[in-house]
Amino acid sequence: MKFTKMHGCGNDYVYVNLFEEKIADPAKVSIAVSDRHFGIGSDGLITIGPSDIADFRMRIYNADGSEAEMCGNGIRCVAKYVYDHKMTDKKEITIETGAGVKTLQLTVADGKVSLVRVDMGEPILKPDLIPVDASGEQVVDEPIEVEGREWKMTCVSMGNPHAVIFVEDTEHFELEKYGPEFEHHPRFPKRTNTEFVHVISPTEASMRVWERGSAETLACGTGTCATVMACILNHKTENKVLVHLRGGDLTIEYDPDNNHIYMTGPATEVFHGIWEEN
Ligand SMILES: N[C@H](CCC[C@H](N)C(=O)O)C(=O)O
């Protein structure tokens, strides 16, 4: 099976072009290729295929084989892949995802995509749509007990669930200890991605992320969008924020006129190869 290894801010996936390859069991393949010792090594598998309602269709599978609704870093890499591999010559493309059709603007330098701006659509705030077990119309600054400590969370879905927790120091935060406890907490019927965020200023933040089904990743595009929405809901930042992740930076803008969130960031192709299913 031919694959291409790409990353967005260090959030790395194995990409497979379904116009050329067939994958009978993507969950099984994602588990195998994601293994960083016995496989290729990645945060998961992303497939690029045809769509009846958009230019292309993207599906994302976590390292544990579970399918996610959307992937922010991944969709930027999909846009880079289809343009650089001459599957389209458009600089504005649409991609069908589990969270609806997204529109992307490509910046091209020397014939290759260097930067992508994604309209990530509207944040979803209703508890039962996130989903999270909570009352009310939104989950903002909500107490939750994890590992015997009370935390305050703000929950946002970008098609996939996120719990945003504000902390003073992300670098020394015990992510391995608390990340899985949030991921599997009974208040999240579909588990959750969890972002631990330090607000630096009204226009800047840093964060780390424990992803549903993939453990800590160096970046999470949907998580960064959820983080900025949480910052705005908690009156901590303005609508445009530069976010520092372990693997790089993303610029997130919330447009109050259409309630859409826009994410701008890089996409990188690292190598390609042949995966022999053993
Ligand atoms: N890394 C991805 C998100 C993957 C989400 C996945 N972990 C889940 O929702 O289960 C991103 O850049 O948005």
Side-chain angles (χ1 to χ4, degrees):
M1 177 187 80
K2 286 192 294 185
F3 71 87
T4 301
K5 189 71 182 3
M6 304 181 80
H7 75 84
C9 301
N11 184 202
D12 62 325
Y13 292 91
V14 169
Y15 291 75
V16 176
N17 180 348
L18 298 185
F19 292 88
E20 297 175 353
E21 301 287 340
K22 289 271 169 288
I23 300 180
D25 184 346
K28 180 167 165 272
V29 169
S30 186
I31 293 166
V33 301
S34 297
D35 190 300
R36 294 201 184 273
H37 301 286
F38 298 100
I40 299 166
S42 70
D43 290 329
L45 167 74
I46 288 182
T47 61
I48 302 165
S51 168
D52 298 331
I53 57 173
D55 295 323
F56 299 95
R57 182 182 184 191
M58 169 187 101
R59 296 182 76 168
I60 168 191
Y61 303 84
N62 291 310
D64 70 354
S66 61
E67 183 172 6
E69 301 83 350
M70 175 53 188
C71 181
N73 288 312
I75 202 168
R76 298 198 312 276
C77 291
V78 168
K80 177 175 177 65
Y81 181 91
V82 297
Y83 185 90
D84 290 6
H85 291 256
K86 306 204 181 325
M87 296 166 71
T88 182
D89 60 3
K90 300 196 305 184
K91 293 186 179 164
E92 174 163 308
I93 62 171
T94 57
I95 297 176
E96 177 189 353
T97 76
V101 176
K102 308 297 177 188
T103 302
L104 300 86
Q105 264 107 24
L106 315 183
T107 300
V108 175
D110 303 329
K112 292 196 181 294
V113 171
S114 58
L115 202 64
V116 183
R117 185 171 194 266
V118 187
D119 178 350
M120 296 289 281
E122 299 191 56
I124 297 160
L125 304 179
K126 284 195 184 334
D128 56 338
L129 300 179
I130 290 177
V132 57
D133 175 12
S135 55
E137 287 301 296
Q138 300 180 346
V139 185
V140 177
D141 201 32
E142 166 98 6
I144 180 170
E145 167 124 6
V146 173
E147 283 281 294
R149 276 178 57 175
E150 183 184 274
W151 310 73
K152 290 297 189 67
M153 68 176 175
T154 297
C155 297
V156 179
S157 166
M158 294 305 295
N160 58 349
H162 296 273
V164 179
I165 314 287
F166 294 105
V167 296
E168 269 318 300
D169 172 4
T170 55
E171 251 335 279
H172 302 97
F173 186 76
E174 293 176 278
L175 199 58
E176 297 73 18
K177 177 176 180 183
Y178 295 109
E181 299 301 323
F182 277 94
E183 176 185 359
H184 298 282
H185 196 284
R187 290 183 66 180
F188 296 102
K190 291 187 177 174
R191 299 188 287 165
T192 190
N193 300 285
T194 309
E195 289 76 22
F196 299 92
V197 182
H198 171 58
V199 179
I200 298 165
S201 82
T203 57
E204 202 174 355
S206 65
M207 64 179 262
R208 288 174 69 192
V209 55
W210 184 272
E211 281 199 26
R212 174 178 63 171
S214 291
E216 178 170 20
T217 61
L218 298 188
C220 180
T222 51
T224 306
C225 295
T227 288
V228 170
M229 198 63 221
C231 288
I232 293 166
L233 290 167
N234 285 280
H235 314 295
K236 291 178 180 286
T237 65
E238 296 170 10
N239 289 339
K240 182 173 180 180
V241 184
L242 173 65
V243 183
H244 304 295
L245 300 116
R246 295 189 81 177
D249 294 347
L250 291 173
T251 299
I252 308 296
E253 298 167 79
Y254 172 69
D255 181 345
D257 295 339
N258 63 5
N259 191 39
H260 280 215
I261 295 184
Y262 298 85
M263 169 189 64
T264 302
T268 306
E269 180 171 327
V270 184
F271 65 92
H272 57 267
I274 307 283
W275 167 255
E276 305 289 350
E277 286 203 70
N278 40 34

